[in-house]
Amino acid sequence: MEPGFWHERWHKQQIGFHQQDINPFLVKYWSTLGLRGNEQVFVPLCGKSLDMCYLAEKGHDLLGCELSELAVRQFFEENRLAYQQKAFGELQAFSSEQMTLLQGDLFALQAQQLASVGAFYDRAALIAWPEEMRLQYAAKLAALLPSGCCGLLITLEYPQDMLKGPPFSVTREWIREHMSQWFEVSLLEQADVLADNPRFIAKEVPWLNESAYLLKRK
Ligand SMILES: C[S@@+](CC[C@H](N)C(=O)[O-])C[C@H]1O[C@@H](n2cnc3c(N)ncnc32)[C@H](O)[C@@H]1O
């Protein structure tokens, strides 16, 4: 989506994607990455996700990237974290002790700026892009991540013709076809989450699956 779409969403606080609870797949599957626990975790398109607090509690340093300055400030203020702001290339870095959120366009980041990243977490980032932008995002993510870096990817699948995204439906086939050039991909679990998503029920979407994948950058 274009930046204006997301800025408007944040200004109107139309942020239905934001979860008040930690994502259950994160809790269930983060340990399958086999990490030491002190790796820096990159969170693309992080919003003000509380999943970052969960990962910080596990001992990780967090490096998020988020377009909206409003989202970034809300993250620190709502979690009562004092923060400092400074320039970071073309982006702005907002930092507290364990968290750095890079405010700006993910596509303006350079691989050397993520050289110390040891893991990543993508929830509602890949699925935020329409099909025509999705591959560019996946290629950028691959270009930014150091080789050997593991991550958890959480996606949604539903009949796309029933609802206009975002979130967009991203199938297992799309991920295998387009992402295996950069990542080893394993499906961890697919679960029916329709009952937890009133917007999909209201639009009479007949099924909605959430999937968790383990990814390893080749
Ligand atoms: C669907 S939300 C998901 C947020 C978060 N991952 C979560 O689980 O709550 C997508 C987020 O990506 C941000 N975003 C969109 N385009 C971006 C870009 N080019 N660079 C960085 N962030 C972007 C939006 O502002 C929005 O907060």
Side-chain angles (χ1 to χ4, degrees), residues 1 6-7 10 17-19 43-49 51 65-68 71 104-107 123-125 128-129:
M1 311 300 289
W6 292 109
H7 287 306
W10 280 103
F17 52 81
H18 179 69
Q19 295 184 319
V43 185
L45 280 64
C46 63
K48 57 173 183 175
S49 172
D51 293 346
C65 178
E66 168 55 49
L67 190 66
S68 164
D105 182 4
L106 176 100
F107 287 96
R123 184 254 159 197
W129 300 100

Side-chain angles (χ1 to χ4, degrees), residues 38-41 52 55-57 59-63 75-76 79-85 93-101:
N38 59 353
E39 294 85 352
Q40 187 184 43
V41 181
M52 293 190 282
L55 290 170
E57 278 167 22
H60 294 288
D61 283 346
L62 273 296
L63 184 66
F75 175 77
F76 286 103
N79 292 293
R80 298 201 174 85
L81 295 168
Y83 62 92
Q84 294 186 326
Q85 180 185 350
F94 291 72
S95 306
S96 66
E97 204 179 329
Q98 253 181 299
M99 311 268 191
T100 296
L101 301 197

Side-chain angles (χ1 to χ4, degrees), residues 15-26 42-47 49-51 120-128 137 152-156 167 197 210-211:
I15 51 170
F17 52 81
H18 179 69
Q19 295 184 319
Q20 297 304 331
D21 299 315
I22 309 303
N23 186 282
F25 277 160
L26 173 62
F42 181 55
V43 185
L45 280 64
C46 63
S49 172
L50 296 174
D51 293 346
F120 65 100
Y121 176 61
D122 176 323
R123 184 254 159 197
L126 183 70
I127 64 171
Y137 164 76
L152 188 64
L153 167 67
I154 298 177
T155 62
L156 289 174
N197 286 275
E210 190 174 41
S211 304

Side-chain angles (χ1 to χ4, degrees), residues 109-172:
L109 284 173
Q110 304 299 324
Q112 66 269 23
Q113 295 172 311
L114 270 74
S116 55
V117 162
F120 65 100
Y121 176 61
D122 176 323
R123 184 254 159 197
L126 183 70
I127 64 171
W129 300 100
E131 172 106 52
E132 60 274 18
M133 284 292 297
R134 192 178 307 141
L135 196 53
Q136 288 176 51
Y137 164 76
K140 183 68 187 180
L141 183 65
L144 289 173
L145 293 169
S147 173
C149 187
C150 288
L152 188 64
L153 167 67
I154 298 177
T155 62
L156 289 174
E157 275 183 60
Y158 62 92
Q160 186 66 83
D161 51 348
M162 296 293 294
L163 197 73
K164 200 167 146 286
F168 295 93
S169 175
V170 178
T171 62
R172 196 188 309 193

Side-chain angles (χ1 to χ4, degrees), residues 198-209:
R199 178 180 161 222
F200 286 77
I201 296 170
K203 297 277 181 185
E204 299 182 354
V205 177
W207 55 270
L208 175 68
N209 291 333

